[in-house]
Structures are given as structure tokens and as C-alpha cells.
Amino acid sequence: MGDKHVVRFEPVGIEIEVDEDQNILRAAAEQGVQLMHGCKEGQCAACKSFVLEGEDIEYDSYSTFALPDYEKDEGSTLLCRAHAYEDLVIELLNYDEEIIRSGLPLTTGTVEVVSVEKVTHDMRHLTVKLVEPNEIKFFPGQYMDLVCPGTEESRSFSMANTPNRDGLFEFVIKVYPGGLFGTWLDERAQPGDRLAVEAPFGTFTLRQNRSSRLLFVGGGAGMAPVLGLLRAMAEGGVERQATFYYGARTVNDLCFEKEIAELAPQLKNFRFVPALSEPDGADWAGETGLITDVVKAHETDLKGVDAYVCGPPPMVDAAIATLTQLGVSENNIFYDKFTTTGEQEGEVGP
């Protein structure tokens, strides 16, 4: 272990102690401070903050798309890649006081594969059962790190289930050609296989002290955390008005429509609006086009709405731009960018 330093977060006035061997985000999570974050790999910029005091910071590799050199020179930082080598004062640019003090403890454990179901040509529904410990606490919408068997490499996947489901966890995983975890999942995974895991991560969680209308925008494996939130809303009797816009390429890329239809009567004034960007002459009577265009066609004034966006980074960025144009406050947009792991264009080393 290295030397320890104090990092103070403003404007919330929270201090933590950070070991030089830990990135700041990780140290905060271990101490129950839930800072805004997404990929934890320096790609999504969700944890971008500003250094008010101190400058002795070292970085793990990150994407210069997430932190351009000029922003770094001006004082911006990525908490998921930053190591403090002196005491620091950090201004949080993206934070939620309801969430920041409600962090659950990070827990490591072991799970066992129950089933792998093919839900589209490139997405799999993975169900695992907790072997140890007895419980891993999380909030619906958060994600878990799973270590690919036979390696030390972990991958992050959002949980589609609600807590306390007899130790079962569900994931909707997009399989990329040549991907480490996807290849294992498609070619070698069997019921009974065991994986090391750690959770919870992420801040894509329902803000409980609000009553405003909800708008969900998802694409691809972004189905998973929204499904988790909808299931939790149905179980908890949440009566907030909600609309879920989901974008897919073709009709064969849609999944979980039946369950969402079954959840709808349990939710107050809920609408599910799937859209196909490439209907290709299919017998499809629903919406077509990019999901952001569909949102524009259906919505005119979104002031006061809480929006949750998850999916590939280009979709998330486009959706955030669309939602702000339609009146959603940036402070009320919560998002997960489903980045892919691996060497990224624009990545810089430590």
C-alpha cells in the first residue's frame, strides 16, 4: 500500500482518505461515498470533476475523448483514473446529494451460472445465483463486475433484476465478435460455472424523493437497467407516470416486449414505445427511425421530467442533446454509457 492523502469533495463538504494505490472513485466507494460514475475505465466522463486545490495526480490510461488534454490542463480530472499523491480539494460537477450519501458497501462474492438464453442474435439473457456471501446489496439499476472465468479480466453488466430474488441476478449482455466475455458466454458457459463478482456500482437508480414524470430512453443492452427499474417500480407500487422509448435496428433486435406488456398494468400511466431504425420491410406497425427522432415526434415540453438514458455512447449523447432541447434539466438526466472494453482510439497511458 502507498501513502494516504485526504481528498475533500465540494460543494458537499465530504472528506475521504485515499491510498496512492487506489483511484479516487474506488476509494470513495469503499468508504460508502457514492460519486457519480459510469464505466470506471476513463471512457464515459460521468465522473469528470474539477481540481480546486492540489496538482500531484497520476493517471491510469483513459480516453482523451472523455478528458481532452486542454480540459486536463485547465484542471479537469476523471476520478475513476486519478491517483492522489497529495491532499486534494475536488469540485464535483455532476453529483446528487440524495445518492452521494446513500452508498452501499462494495461486496465481492461468487456466483454460479443458472442459464444463458439467446434473446436476439447478439444479446444473451444470463441468470446467475449467488454462492457466497449470503447477500450482495444493491439498488435497482446498478451494475455488477463479473470476472471472466480463466482470466483476471472483469466486465461490467447492469442488473435487470430487483434485490432479494433468492440470490438470483439477471443480465442482458450484448455479444461482440471476438469479445472476451461474450465469447466465453456463447461458446463455453455452462450451468454450474462459477464466476467471481463485485457489486454494486453505478448511479442509474431511481431518485426516491421525487414525484415527477419519468422518461426512459434505451438501446441494445440498455434494456437491462431500465427493466430492473420498471420491475422495482411495479413491486414497490410507484405511481409516477413513465414512458420507455427503446431503439433497435430490426424487429429481430427487440426483446422482453412480453414482460414489459405484463408490467404495464402494474404501472401508472405507462407507455412502451419501441422503434426500429431499419425495419427492412418487416410487418411492423410501430415507430421507425432513430430513437431520438421518435422522442422528438412524441414529446414537445419535458420541463420537470426525470430522464434515464442508457445504451451505446453515441445514442446516449444524442439523447441527452435531444432531451435538453425539449426542456429536461441537465441535473435531471441520469445516464449509463455502455462502453466496450479494450484499447480505445484516443486512449492515453499512465
Side-chain angles (χ1 to χ4, degrees):
M1 299 290 283
D3 292 337
K4 295 181 183 294
H5 306 282
V6 174
V7 175
R8 180 177 178 85
F9 299 110
E10 297 293 0
V12 294
I14 294 174
E15 290 187 353
I16 63 170
E17 197 170 63
V18 181
D19 191 280
E20 292 176 352
D21 293 338
Q22 291 179 305
N23 65 62
I24 295 171
L25 179 69
R26 173 79 193 192
E30 290 186 355
Q31 293 170 61
V33 178
Q34 183 76 291
L35 303 178
M36 300 296 277
H37 65 280
C39 67
K40 309 197 310 297
E41 296 177 346
Q43 296 180 35
C44 75
C47 66
K48 187 182 291 184
S49 301
F50 192 82
V51 182
L52 294 174
E53 295 180 20
E55 57 184 28
D56 195 358
I57 302 172
E58 299 293 333
Y59 289 88
D60 298 323
S61 61
Y62 62 88
S63 168
T64 52
F65 290 111
L67 181 64
D69 291 339
Y70 76 90
E71 287 189 1
K72 182 181 176 185
D73 293 342
E74 291 172 352
S76 292
T77 186
L78 296 177
L79 299 180
C80 69
R81 311 309 278 173
H83 295 252
Y85 281 80
E86 64 175 332
D87 292 351
L88 303 173
V89 178
I90 302 286
E91 180 184 10
L92 300 174
L93 304 179
N94 182 20
Y95 69 97
D96 186 318
E97 290 212 46
E98 179 184 345
I99 297 297
I100 199 169
R101 301 176 191 276
S102 65
L104 294 171
L106 289 178
T107 304
T108 58
T110 303
V111 299
E112 186 174 275
V113 173
V114 174
S115 63
V116 181
E117 178 188 0
K118 185 175 182 178
V119 291
T120 74
H121 72 98
D122 63 353
M123 290 204 296
R124 307 293 179 262
H125 180 202
L126 170 66
T127 302
V128 300
K129 186 174 180 63
L130 192 61
V131 176
E132 57 178 4
N134 292 328
E135 181 183 26
I136 293 182
K137 294 182 178 180
F138 69 96
F139 295 119
Q142 290 191 295
Y143 68 86
M144 176 179 281
D145 281 358
L146 288 76
V147 178
C148 188
T151 77
E152 296 182 357
E153 296 284 330
S154 67
R155 297 292 184 265
S156 302
F157 300 111
S158 293
M159 292 170 274
N161 56 287
T162 56
N164 305 317
R165 284 200 60 231
D166 299 322
L168 291 175
F169 295 87
E170 297 179 55
F171 309 90
V172 182
I173 298 173
K174 185 175 177 65
V175 174
Y176 292 93
L180 179 69
F181 196 93
T183 299
W184 170 79
L185 192 63
D186 249 8
E187 298 179 2
R188 297 189 295 278
Q190 297 290 333
D193 288 347
R194 294 194 170 189
L195 300 84
V197 300
E198 184 174 30
F201 296 102
T203 54
F204 194 81
T205 57
L206 201 63
R207 275 55 181 175
Q208 300 291 346
N209 63 352
R210 303 171 66 87
S211 58
S212 48
R213 180 188 165 201
L214 294 164
L215 192 83
F216 301 105
V217 183
M223 171 63 73
V226 175
L227 187 58
L229 291 178
L230 293 177
R231 287 170 165 176
M233 289 170 62
E235 289 180 8
V238 175
E239 295 188 350
R240 296 168 68 178
Q241 180 182 350
T243 306
F244 180 16
Y245 291 95
Y246 181 75
R249 288 193 302 274
T250 72
V251 69
N252 292 325
D253 293 305
L254 293 173
C255 57
F256 293 96
E257 312 102 294
K258 182 179 178 182
E259 178 174 349
I260 292 173
E262 292 171 349
L263 283 172
Q266 304 172 54
L267 300 166
K268 182 180 179 181
N269 200 4
F270 171 73
R271 284 191 306 146
F272 177 47
V273 185
L276 304 182
S277 60
E278 302 172 15
D280 293 335
D283 184 15
W284 173 252
E287 298 291 333
T288 59
L290 297 176
I291 197 63
T292 46
D293 293 334
V294 175
V295 172
K296 287 180 188 176
H298 281 257
E299 307 288 349
T300 54
D301 183 3
L302 293 178
K303 290 185 179 68
V305 167
D306 282 0
Y308 289 77
V309 185
C310 54
M315 189 223 77
V316 172
D317 291 337
I320 291 173
T322 295
L323 293 168
T324 53
Q325 289 169 8
L326 291 171
V328 184
S329 166
E330 289 187 12
N331 293 331
N332 295 340
I333 300 177
F334 314 105
Y335 64 89
D336 259 352
K337 290 183 179 179
F338 284 23
T339 56
T340 55
T341 301
E343 187 172 345
Q344 301 294 312
E345 182 180 0
E347 185 174 273
V348 298

